[in-house]
Amino acid sequence: MEAGQSAEQYMEGLYPEDEQLSRVLEGIRAQDMPQISIAPGYGRLLTLLVKMTGARQLLEIGALGGYSGICLARGLGEEGRLFSLELKQEYADLAHRHLREAGLGDRVEYRVGEALHSLEQLEREGRRFDYYFIDADKGNYPNYLEWAIRLANPGALIVGDNLLMRGKTLNASERGNAVTKMREFNERIASDPRLESVLLPAYDGLALARVK
Ligand code: DHB
Ligand code: MG
């Protein structure tokens, strides 16, 4: 390992370039969108977990440019479907374009607008999910967790990104709404009797929880 290289960088260096995902990152840069896609190692984990659980109905909260959407949809078989909730039409359009370019455009359905409204709509439609990926506005993470449990098929998996918020979560002098809600989310993931879970500290932190 080179001096100054993080454990994450060392491990990323072992993998060949993923051209589909590199195109997504380029597209995000070209549109001046925030460069905050999920870490590559966690993207690989998302794909593996879809395959390992055999999940068919996936729900992503926060599409951004489609990086995690590709990772999720790659794990699906022919019968599987990804629903992706995104606040901004232009982000959903770019994400959809990236999934189409990756040959996955027909596996995904975007719902644009406030995720809390889309979740109510999904409930009215009677939809249930096997696997969630939460990666949207941090102040709503506890609400998204509650919705995920509410719409879960038994044994559903809930994955959440950015538990550490670049270290803010660990810093007690940080008392803003988003970080306070993230602490609440982390505490609930760890202690909610309806869940079994593990919290991963690599990159910016990832939650994995199974709905009992
Ligand atoms: C940041 C990173 C994320 O993955 C995200 O979902 C939101 C914000 C960030 O580093 O600021
Ligand atoms: Mg994130």
Side-chain angles (χ1 to χ4, degrees):
M1 192 160 128
E2 285 169 41
Q5 193 184 30
S6 70
E8 286 93 340
Q9 285 166 336
Y10 163 69
M11 289 177 183
E12 294 311 340
L14 302 176
Y15 289 87
E17 189 189 346
D18 185 316
E19 286 177 14
Q20 290 177 341
L21 294 178
S22 296
R23 258 204 301 281
V24 174
L25 298 180
E26 259 168 52
I28 287 173
R29 273 195 299 274
Q31 303 274 327
D32 274 328
M33 286 164 58
Q35 292 175 43
I36 54 171
S37 299
I38 190 172
Y42 284 158
R44 281 189 279 277
L45 181 60
L46 290 182
T47 306
L48 271 181
L49 287 170
V50 178
K51 293 185 179 179
M52 291 164 77
T53 57
R56 291 179 172 205
Q57 296 295 319
L58 314 188
L59 179 63
E60 167 182 71
I61 306 178
L64 194 65
Y67 188 107
S68 53
I70 287 177
C71 295
L72 291 164
R74 275 178 177 172
L76 289 171
E78 287 296 316
E79 356 38 57
R81 194 149 189 83
L82 168 65
F83 288 82
S84 181
L85 311 187
E86 174 51 54
L87 182 62
K88 298 186 177 179
Q89 183 72 54
E90 67 265 32
Y91 288 11
D93 290 345
L94 185 71
H96 204 172
R97 193 182 96 204
H98 285 143
L99 266 83
R100 278 195 300 267
E101 286 171 2
L104 299 165
D106 57 345
R107 305 235 172 112
V108 64
E109 180 173 329
Y110 289 91
R111 300 282 177 100
V112 175
E114 292 284 346
L116 292 174
H117 296 164
S118 298
L119 286 159
E120 284 174 20
Q121 178 60 29
L122 291 167
E123 184 180 46
R124 280 194 293 273
E125 293 170 19
R127 297 195 190 274
R128 292 292 179 270
F129 298 94
D130 307 311
Y131 186 135
Y132 299 88
F133 179 52
I134 301 172
D135 192 17
D137 51 315
K138 309 314 172 203
N140 270 314
Y141 265 41
N143 294 328
Y144 297 148
L145 178 60
E146 210 47 51
W147 270 105
I149 295 171
R150 184 159 162 176
L151 300 184
N153 285 322
L157 182 65
I158 301 172
V159 184
D161 190 30
N162 304 113
L163 309 190
L164 298 176
M165 295 183 71
R166 305 187 193 200
K168 274 192 190 181
T169 308
L170 305 178
N171 181 350
S173 65
E174 294 279 357
R175 296 200 188 88
N177 181 60
V179 69
T180 302
K181 292 293 170 62
M182 184 61 83
R183 290 189 192 113
E184 182 185 330
F185 175 85
N186 292 342
E187 287 157 18
R188 282 212 225 165
I189 289 277
S191 63
D192 191 306
R194 297 168 295 179
L195 303 174
E196 307 175 69
S197 71
V198 62
L199 299 170
L200 306 180
Y203 302 102
D204 201 25
L206 195 80
L208 298 181
R210 179 181 180 277
V211 182
K212 288 181 187 166

